[in-house]
Amino acid sequence: MLRRILWAELGDHLLNNTVATNMLHVVSQDSADELQIVRIFAAQLISFFIVLALYRRKVRSSVTENNIQEERS
């Protein structure tokens, strides 16, 4: 069980870094990036919702599989 948790955390971290890097890799004309905090917040939300959707999908499929196995027995 611990291994699954570590892989989930690693996947979440990788996804978050990918989304954040792509959103933050912006070259501005000025030296100060005034919207950096907005892009960081948006990247965090996007990666959170992607991970949440994947988690819910996995939970639904495991519940469905358990129900099918209970009906068979």
Side-chain angles (χ1 to χ4, degrees), residues 24-57:
L24 295 177
H25 188 72
V26 175
V27 178
S28 60
Q29 297 288 338
D30 301 331
S31 60
D33 186 9
E34 298 168 352
L35 294 176
Q36 181 179 11
I37 190 69
V38 174
R39 284 194 291 278
I40 290 171
F41 182 69
Q44 294 290 326
L45 282 177
I46 290 170
S47 63
F48 171 74
F49 284 120
I50 290 172
V51 170
L52 181 65
L54 292 173
Y55 173 76
R56 285 187 173 178
R57 185 173 135 195

Side-chain angles (χ1 to χ4, degrees), residues 64-73:
T64 304
E65 289 175 7
N66 289 341
N67 289 342
I68 290 172
Q69 288 177 356
E70 287 176 4
E71 288 176 0
R72 289 181 182 172
S73 41

Side-chain angles (χ1 to χ4, degrees), residues 2-25:
L2 183 59
R3 290 181 183 176
R4 289 185 208 150
I5 293 170
L6 290 175
W7 278 112
E9 292 294 324
L10 183 63
D12 181 35
H13 179 72
L14 179 65
L15 178 68
N16 185 34
N17 285 349
T18 302
V19 171
T21 301
N22 287 332
M23 289 186 72
L24 295 177
H25 188 72

